[in-house]
Structures are given as structure tokens and as C-alpha cells.
């Protein structure tokens, strides 16, 4: 195990060393509820194997990235938001507010989602 993995929150969650609320599991994928949900339904889908971000995952294991998206669609179906709609998000870097450096897909839905992009401006 690399240093990055030993210190990785989502590797610990996949291993069961940090508790999480599982919603979906396969041999290669794990999905669990976000601890600080940004929508009525907010699930994180992670490959069990550690990749730093979506671009690294795409470059090194494109089939696994496709599996992350398919798992996200399965999660949406299972959560009953397939028809009402949902949003897939990958954050990268500080401007996107990225905090965990293990590739993960956010699946958001269950209510009308807000606009995204620029922050709300006041005045
Ligand atoms: P990022 O901002 O890196 O794209 O997303 C990280 C996500 O992980 C955030 O939405 C945050 O709420 C979630 N998160 C951080 N720590 C934990 C945790 O210990 N458990 C769970 N379930 N989610 C977490
Ligand atoms: Zn990791």
C-alpha cells in the first residue's frame, strides 16, 4: 500500500476502517451516503482501488471509470431518482472545493437541484 493510500479517507472507508452508510457494492465499486449531503439524495461512488482523481482513473483504468458511471446510474435507479433526474459531479482542485484525493463520483438528486458554477453573489 502506498503512503497516499495509507492516509486516504476513502481507502479507509472502502476497507471498513472508517464507518459509512453503504448503498451499493460490487467487487470493484463501493457507494455510500455523503456525510454532509448537498441534496436530498447524495451518494458517493468510489472504485475500491485508489486513484487520485477522475483524470488519473481515465488515463490508467478507463474501463473502471466507465464502471464508476454505470454504478452511479445503478445507484440512481436504486434510489428511485432515475426518472426525476440526477447530477453526476467530479470535483478537481481547490476552485471546485475538492477535499478527498481518491477518485469519487457524486450522485445528487431527489429534489430540484440549484444552478451550479459561479457562487451566489450578493449586492
Ligand atoms: P470532494 O469535495 O472531495 O469532491 O468530496 C468529498 C466529499 O466527501 C464531501 O462531499 C464530503 O461531505 C464527503 N465526506 C468527507 N468525509 C466523509 C466521511 O467521513 N464520510 C462520508 N460518508 N463522507 C465524507
Ligand atoms: Zn484511496
Amino acid at each position: 500500500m502506498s503512503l497516499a493510500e495509507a492516509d486516504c479517507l476513502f481507502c479507509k472507508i472502502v476497507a471498513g476502517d472508517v464507518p459509512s452508510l453503504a448503498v451499493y457494492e460490487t467487487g470493484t465499486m463501493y457507494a455510500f451516503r455523503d456525510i454532509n449531503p448537498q441534496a436530498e439524495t447524495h451518494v458517493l461512488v468510489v472504485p475500491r482501488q485508489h486513484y487520485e482523481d477522475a483524470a488519473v482513473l481515465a488515463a490508467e483504468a478507463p474501463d473502471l471509470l466507465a464502471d464508476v458511471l454505470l454504478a452511479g446510474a445503478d445507484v440512481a435507479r436504486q434510489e428511485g431518482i432515475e426518472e426525476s433526474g440526477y447530477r453526476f459531479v467530479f470535483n478537481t482542485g481547490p476552485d471546485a472545493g475538492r477535499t478527498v484525493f481518491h477518485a469519487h463520483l457524486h450522485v445528487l438528486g431527489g429534489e430540484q437541484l440549484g444552478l451550479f458554477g459561479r457562487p451566489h453573489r450578493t449586492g
Side-chain angles (χ1 to χ4, degrees):
M1 187 191 287
S2 72
L3 260 181
E5 290 170 55
D7 206 30
C8 171
L9 173 63
F10 287 176
C11 280
K12 289 178 186 157
I13 283 180
V14 165
D17 295 339
V18 170
S20 62
L21 283 172
V23 300
Y24 177 92
E25 300 192 51
T26 69
T28 56
M29 233 36 80
Y30 182 60
F32 54 100
R33 298 203 187 281
D34 196 291
I35 205 168
N36 182 24
Q38 300 300 308
E40 196 63 34
T41 301
H42 188 173
V43 174
L44 301 172
V45 179
V46 305
R48 290 184 184 276
Q49 212 176 326
H50 181 92
Y51 291 89
E52 180 165 338
D53 62 29
V56 172
L57 180 59
E60 294 184 6
D63 290 352
L64 202 57
L65 175 61
D67 286 347
V68 171
L69 299 178
L70 289 168
D74 282 345
V75 165
R77 203 169 303 125
Q78 193 179 297
E79 293 287 308
I81 59 171
E82 189 183 25
E83 296 296 323
S84 52
Y86 54 90
R87 183 174 292 159
F88 282 169
V89 173
F90 284 107
N91 290 320
T92 304
D95 276 355
R98 175 102 187 274
T99 57
V100 180
F101 295 87
H102 178 133
H104 54 279
L105 172 70
H106 295 257
V107 182
L108 298 148
E111 62 184 323
Q112 182 66 56
L113 300 175
L115 297 175
F116 62 101
R118 288 192 164 143
H120 292 291
R121 299 190 190 284
T122 52

